[in-house]
């Protein structure tokens, strides 16, 4: 397990880890019943789907995503609210698969019902990345709850996923005095190592790699600090909300925390737009579905590769061997005829 993050006062739990050696992200969701609060929760959840990790997301989303997802009173078309439409678009942007797939005849796949079964809905879901091959799934009755659980078995397809891509310096770090001071101190230490290299050029090549590592580490620490600050604000918001329910007047500090959270999401939106690598943006461009689609379009898995003999390779081992053979031959020492080269 790499990290565990709690969002929205216990409404969302994000766990990063590994499964069979592959990086995965598990997300558990418990959405509120109010439409506005539910849509706001999904908006905060959305950036968690912008990742190269394999995603498995499940829980009680408290809304339906299909016209037949509700049986009984007020069933039929038009039942999807704004939050449900936002969730459907979000799942589509992340190219995720609904494990159950659909409500099914006679509402056999419903996940919630009234005790008399007069109203039944499918409001609980499990979504996975397309790199997860679903082997089987079933609905499980839970006797202490009015919801049924979703159980599924799946496996990773073993296809290559794209890596993090090219690295770019986060220029905002250059304006921080603490980063400038640490870089000056570290660079002076690097300068003292010039004599250990055969030439200044060799030393400079080594320094360039150290500079990149330096800013990667600083950027990682900054991102970790932002996540901690976000968790702190979430916890503070929950505590203030609990005080409000008890009759305390806490509107001023509550609005202050909401303002800080708004600024946090504004900064996150700017980072998402930056990661989309889109040029010629209009001033004040807002983060929307386009930028999420742009990021996901660069994470297309490598599923096949033709080797030097012209055969298609579709397993991880065969693809790795084809790449190794290609570059091994490309950069190997070539035989040459000195006499003929001189004539040429």
């Amino acid at each position: 397990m790499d990290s565990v993050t709690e969002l929205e006062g216990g409404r969302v739990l994000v766990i990063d880890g590994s499964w069979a050696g592959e990086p995965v992200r598990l997300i558990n969701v418990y959405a509120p019943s109010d439409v506005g609060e539910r849509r706001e929760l999904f908006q905060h959840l959305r950036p968690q789907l912008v990742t190269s990790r394999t995603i498995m997301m499940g829980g009680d989303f408290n809304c339906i995503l299909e016209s037949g997802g509700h049986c009984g009173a007020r069933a039929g078309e038009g039942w999807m609210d704004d939050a449900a439409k936002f969730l459907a678009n979000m799942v589509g942007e992340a190219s995720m698969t609904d494990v159950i797939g659909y409500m099914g005849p006679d509402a056999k796949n419903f996940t919630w019902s009234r005790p008399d079964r007069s109203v039944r809905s499918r409001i609980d879901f499990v979504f996975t990345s397309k790199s997860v091959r679903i082997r089987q799934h079933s609905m499980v009755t839970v006797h202490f709850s009015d919801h049924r659980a979703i159980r599924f078995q799946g496996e990773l397809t073993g296809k290559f996923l794209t890596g993090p891509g090219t690295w770019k310096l986060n220029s905002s770090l250059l304006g921080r005095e603490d980063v400038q001071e640490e870089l000056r101190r570290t660079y002076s230490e690097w300068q003292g190592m010039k004599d250990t290299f055969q030439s200044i050029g060799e030393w400079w090549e080594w320094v360039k790699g150290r500079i990149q590592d330096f800013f990667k580490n600083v950027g990682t620490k900054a991102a970790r600090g932002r996540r901690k600050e976000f968790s702190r604000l979430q916890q503070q918001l929950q505590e203030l909300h609990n005080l409000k329910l008890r009759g305390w007047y806490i509107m001023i500090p509550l609005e202050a925390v909401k303002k800080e959270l708004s600024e946090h999401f504004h900064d996150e939106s700017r980072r998402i737009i930056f990661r989309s690598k889109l040029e010629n943006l209009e001033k004040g461009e807002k983060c929307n579905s386009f930028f999420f689609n742009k990021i996901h379009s660069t994470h297309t898995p490598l599923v096949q590769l033709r080797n030097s003999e012209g055969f298609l390779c579709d397993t991880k081992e065969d693809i790795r061997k084809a790449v190794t053979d290609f570059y091994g031959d490309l950069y190997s020492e070539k035989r040459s005829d000195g006499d003929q080269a001189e004539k040429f």
Side-chain angles (χ1 to χ4, degrees), residues 104-316:
D106 302 322
K108 67 178 183 179
N109 286 332
F110 72 89
T111 62
W112 171 86
S113 70
R114 289 181 178 174
D116 60 0
R117 295 171 64 88
S118 61
V119 178
R120 292 168 289 173
S121 300
R122 189 165 83 96
I123 57 177
D124 303 84
F125 301 91
V126 173
F127 303 104
T128 69
S129 299
K130 294 192 181 297
S131 56
V132 178
R133 180 181 291 117
I134 308 302
R135 290 302 186 186
Q136 58 180 336
H137 61 78
S138 60
M139 308 300 300
V140 182
T141 299
V142 182
H143 298 289
F144 55 81
S145 173
D146 56 356
H147 289 254
R148 295 202 297 171
I150 301 173
R151 175 164 47 191
F152 83 98
Q153 291 182 348
E155 64 179 4
L156 294 178
T157 58
K159 304 299 183 183
F160 272 105
L161 296 177
T162 58
T166 55
W167 174 78
K168 286 186 177 181
L169 172 64
N170 182 358
S171 57
S172 64
L173 298 174
L174 298 175
R176 289 174 43 180
E177 293 185 4
D178 58 328
V179 174
Q180 295 175 11
E181 183 60 32
E182 186 178 357
L183 181 59
R184 291 191 192 97
R185 178 181 54 79
T186 306
Y187 186 77
S188 64
E189 296 176 359
W190 295 338
Q191 285 182 311
M193 302 180 66
K194 288 181 181 179
D195 295 339
T196 62
F197 292 86
Q198 294 182 354
S199 66
I200 293 296
E202 184 179 339
W203 170 79
W204 178 240
E205 288 300 319
W206 176 81
V207 167
K208 286 194 293 186
R210 302 290 76 74
I211 292 175
Q212 179 174 336
D213 292 339
F214 173 85
F215 280 103
K216 280 184 176 180
N217 291 333
V218 172
T220 300
K221 291 178 182 178
R224 190 181 299 119
R226 289 195 301 270
R227 289 194 294 269
K228 287 184 178 180
E229 177 64 11
F230 178 65
S231 298
R232 184 192 68 80
L233 290 172
Q234 287 288 331
Q235 183 177 359
Q236 189 175 354
L237 181 65
Q238 183 64 53
E239 292 172 353
L240 291 172
H241 179 68
N242 292 338
L243 291 175
K244 181 181 178 182
L245 293 178
R246 295 172 187 170
W248 289 47
Y249 180 79
I250 40 80
M251 293 305 300
I252 295 178
L254 185 63
E255 290 301 320
V257 172
K258 287 184 176 181
K259 182 179 179 181
E260 289 187 67
L261 282 170
S262 177
E263 293 173 353
H264 169 84
F265 287 115
H266 176 70
D267 291 339
E268 286 299 314
S269 297
R270 290 175 54 194
R271 292 186 182 91
I272 290 171
I273 292 174
F274 176 78
R275 290 202 298 273
S276 70
K277 301 178 182 177
L278 190 70
E279 299 178 355
N280 302 322
L281 290 173
E282 294 183 9
K283 185 176 181 180
E285 185 79 55
K286 299 296 183 181
C287 184
N288 53 34
S289 300
F290 171 79
F291 296 103
F292 286 89
N293 289 328
K294 180 74 175 176
I295 293 174
H296 283 295
S297 67
T298 64
H299 287 79
T300 304
L302 176 65
V303 296
Q304 286 185 324
L305 187 67
R306 199 177 297 277
N307 62 17
S308 58
E309 298 176 351
F311 296 108
L312 283 175
C313 306
D314 57 4
T315 67
K316 180 177 291 187

